[in-house]
Amino acid sequence: MAETEWEAGEPPWARRGTDHLPCYFCGGHTAVLSFGDRTDDTGRLELYCENQMCDAREVVVLVQRDGAGAHDRADVRALREVDRPRETPADLDVMARYEDKKNITARRQSTTSLALVVEAHREE
């Protein structure tokens, strides 16, 4: 397999022994795998930026859609719930859909209480 290809379930490129990775926020090659990164979780990376001037110290990179079952993961479903409007605009209500798309960022950044029920079942 070529180095630029990745298939669901395979280890991400970032876990192949690279010393430092690019930080998505400061742009420096100062990110490393975080202490909390789980090598058995191939759909999620946890990175730590070692640049002391970068405020994005802990970052999660999550696969939301792949060729397997990323859409079934509890963390992906939770993000989908945060992005989902409280009241779904009607299919033909173009303006309501447009307004809702503008509110996605506000919902993601909100610090109000959030209650999600996301169940995860371990397969035996």
Side-chain angles (χ1 to χ4, degrees):
M1 177 177 2
E3 285 188 36
T4 57
E5 295 176 7
W6 179 80
E7 292 182 21
E10 291 184 357
W13 165 83
R15 290 196 184 121
R16 295 183 188 162
T18 306
D19 287 341
H20 284 87
L21 306 164
C23 173
Y24 292 122
F25 291 87
C26 74
H29 285 273
T30 52
V32 295
L33 292 175
S34 174
F35 180 73
D37 185 60
R38 301 281 314 242
T39 58
D40 59 337
D41 190 350
T42 58
R44 179 183 177 123
L45 286 170
E46 295 191 30
L47 304 173
Y48 176 81
C49 184
E50 293 183 326
N51 176 1
Q52 293 184 4
M53 299 304 291
C54 181
D55 282 338
R57 301 308 290 229
E58 295 277 344
V59 176
V60 171
V61 179
L62 178 66
V63 175
Q64 288 188 306
R65 186 174 66 187
D66 61 16
H71 62 281
D72 291 331
R73 292 175 55 113
D75 47 6
V76 173
R77 292 190 337 257
L79 286 175
R80 195 176 322 130
E81 284 300 308
V82 168
D83 287 353
R84 192 170 59 89
R86 289 185 181 160
E87 295 178 15
T88 305
D91 288 337
L92 298 177
D93 192 346
V94 176
M95 286 310 295
R97 289 187 175 279
Y98 173 75
E99 287 299 319
D100 180 63
K101 292 230 183 281
K102 293 191 320 189
N103 292 329
I104 288 174
T105 300
R107 284 196 298 273
R108 290 178 181 177
Q109 294 177 346
S110 174
T111 58
T112 60
S113 296
L114 179 65
L116 293 175
V117 177
V118 180
E119 296 179 15
H121 300 283
R122 181 177 204 114
E123 294 182 19
E124 300 293 325

